[in-house]
Amino acid sequence: MATKKTETAKKAEAAVKETAAKATAKATAKAEATKAKATAKAEETKAAAKKTAEKAEKEVKAAAATAKKNAEKAEKEVKAAAATAKKNAEKAEKEVKAAATTAKKSVKKTAQKLATKEFYFEFAGKQVNTDDIYDAVEKAYVASGKKASAIKSIKLYVKAEDNAVYYVINDKDNGKVEL
């Protein structure tokens, strides 16, 4: 009986070893399959990451190229605007100088006009100031229904023997004023 048990125990042990070997082989195969799947998935993820990185790199390069073009365009526009501004400034400076020169001449003429001048006309015991004559002519012109602001030129002709001043305003309106 002891040998029968030993043989049965040996058979059982061999069966256990065989089952253990099969289970180990199965577990090893399963582990290797899982490892292969994980490796494949890792490779797939790595490939996807590489594609994403390449795509991002292309987009960054495109954005950089666009930014460079925009910067060059902006630089050209700034240079053109600066040139235009410089031309406008030079033109304005010339206009200011011309206006200043004109203003100086005008001030000089006005100053000459502002100099005190008096002219008196004497005849037959009378003395008449030319300013009074101009005022009388202007009043006569306005009394005829016209505006004093319309007067651009006045020409006076003093005729002592008639005791009168004849006038022509703006080279078309004429009349007579007693002295």
Side-chain angles (χ1 to χ4, degrees), residues 2-69:
T3 46
K4 223 179 181 188
K5 276 188 184 179
T6 308
E7 258 184 54
T8 307
K10 282 184 182 177
K11 281 184 184 179
E13 188 180 325
V16 167
K17 280 185 180 177
E18 189 178 320
T19 303
K22 282 182 183 178
T24 302
K26 195 174 184 182
T28 303
K30 197 173 187 179
E32 285 181 15
T34 303
K35 185 179 176 184
K37 280 182 184 178
T39 303
K41 200 168 197 174
E43 290 292 325
E44 189 178 298
T45 303
K46 188 177 178 182
K50 186 176 179 182
K51 284 182 181 178
T52 303
E54 289 172 353
K55 184 178 178 182
E57 185 178 345
K58 286 180 183 178
E59 288 174 358
V60 166
K61 284 181 180 179
T66 301
K68 184 178 178 182
K69 286 179 185 177

